[in-house]
Amino acid sequence: MIDPKIKTIAFDADDTLWVNETIFDATQERFFKLLEQYVPEEVLRKHLFQTEIKNLKYFGYGVKGFILSMIETAVELTEGLVRGGDIQQIIDWGREMIEHPVENIEGVEQALKTLSQHYQLMVITKGDLLDQESKLARSGLADYFDKVEIVSDKTAAQYQEILNRHDIKAEEFLMIGNSLKSDVLPVLEIGGQAVHIPFSSTWEHETVAPAEESHHQIVAFASVTEFVKTIG
Ligand SMILES: [Mg+2]
């Protein structure tokens, strides 16, 4: 149950409020197909992942960095032979990803409706600023949130900075998200509480060994409302 001290509940966005990773997975599969004439899928997969990680510190999280990493992988693994038309195709996929309809995860809206009556609600998400603002607007969920933070990374220091800026005490703060690495562990580290709601697909970079630390885990967003009813 939620600690009665909690006053603010923050949510991750991608794969917590709405579907995201499946869109990346689907584009990645198209990328493998596009280049299968040049390079085997397992070689592409490994190189693309390494390129994405290498590029995080230059381009950050989100669709733009992903597209650039696919282009870089295509150029490197074909030794410059990839066609201009194929590069154009990759860029077009990026636009499709940005325009992809926002599919809210089941149970999210009901849970936000209930929680917003009792708590200050926040979104704390990584990704491209324009893309995340657009998804929040198109999700129809924006009005439930008092504050929105779109950040370049979610480290303990960054959570602490956000809490300081909004005058929120760590012990009165609860974070809900699908990533142990980004949504749970750094929040526990600064003395906050966290609920982990796993999504069906997790980007390899966001996976960590199961944590020893104590945090809540619930399997579906629909149960957030049930979970909150236990507060009493
Ligand atoms: Mg997420």
Side-chain angles (χ1 to χ4, degrees):
M1 66 180 260
I2 293 184
D3 189 312
K5 285 200 299 287
I6 297 298
K7 292 190 177 138
T8 300
I9 301 180
F11 293 83
D12 167 56
D14 290 338
D15 298 323
T16 298
L17 299 179
W18 51 68
V19 171
N20 178 67
E21 189 59 29
T22 43
I23 301 168
F24 279 73
D25 287 346
T27 304
Q28 193 167 281
E29 292 308 314
R30 293 163 93 182
F31 175 68
F32 297 151
K33 268 228 128 9
L34 181 76
L35 295 181
E36 69 184 357
Q37 54 181 316
Y38 304 105
V39 193
E41 176 178 327
E42 53 289 5
V43 178
L44 280 166
R45 186 183 293 278
K46 189 158 174 254
H47 195 90
L48 175 60
F49 178 67
Q50 287 165 349
T51 308
E52 285 180 84
I53 300 308
K54 178 190 78 181
N55 282 339
L56 277 179
K57 71 169 186 271
Y58 301 101
F59 307 133
Y61 293 87
V63 173
K64 279 186 287 186
F66 178 57
I67 294 300
L68 290 170
S69 294
M70 282 195 290
I71 292 172
E72 185 174 352
T73 301
V75 170
E76 283 183 358
L77 292 187
T78 64
E79 296 176 345
L81 292 176
V82 64
R83 290 186 293 256
D86 292 338
I87 303 285
Q88 181 64 57
Q89 177 64 77
I90 295 169
I91 294 168
D92 290 344
W93 289 337
R95 260 192 295 270
E96 273 178 45
M97 291 174 77
I98 300 275
E99 289 177 340
H100 195 283
V102 178
E103 185 191 337
N104 291 340
I105 286 170
E106 199 184 333
V108 161
E109 179 148 25
Q110 187 52 49
L112 293 177
K113 199 176 274 182
T114 307
L115 291 172
S116 63
Q117 293 161 19
H118 306 281
Y119 300 95
Q120 163 168 265
L121 301 187
M122 285 179 90
V123 175
I124 304 179
T125 178
K126 295 187 289 203
D128 294 322
L129 179 62
L130 181 63
D131 185 30
Q132 294 296 31
E133 283 175 341
S134 160
K135 283 192 284 189
L136 185 60
R138 287 182 290 139
S139 72
L141 302 174
D143 286 349
Y144 294 111
F145 298 104
D146 302 287
K147 300 172 197 300
V148 176
E149 289 283 346
I150 299 166
V151 295
S152 58
D153 205 357
K154 286 157 105 173
T155 61
Q158 260 159 322
Y159 278 107
Q160 189 62 63
E161 189 277 323
I162 290 169
L163 296 196
N164 291 348
R165 194 151 35 79
H166 293 291
D167 214 8
I168 297 167
K169 296 191 183 93
E171 60 270 27
E172 298 175 356
F173 178 77
L174 173 79
M175 180 76 194
I176 297 180
N178 72 299
S179 168
L180 279 175
K181 180 172 185 275
S182 297
D183 305 320
V184 173
L185 299 181
V187 173
L188 297 177
E189 195 182 323
I190 63 165
Q193 297 187 33
V195 174
H196 181 220
I197 308 182
F199 185 67
S200 55
S201 171
T202 303
W203 186 32
E204 196 180 341
H205 177 61
E206 295 288 340
T207 58
V208 288
E212 296 295 317
E213 285 92 337
S214 74
H215 64 270
H216 312 284
Q217 172 162 341
I218 52 183
V219 290
F221 217 98
S223 14
V224 170
T225 314
E226 287 306 309
F227 181 73
V228 170
K229 281 189 193 145
T230 64
I231 305 165

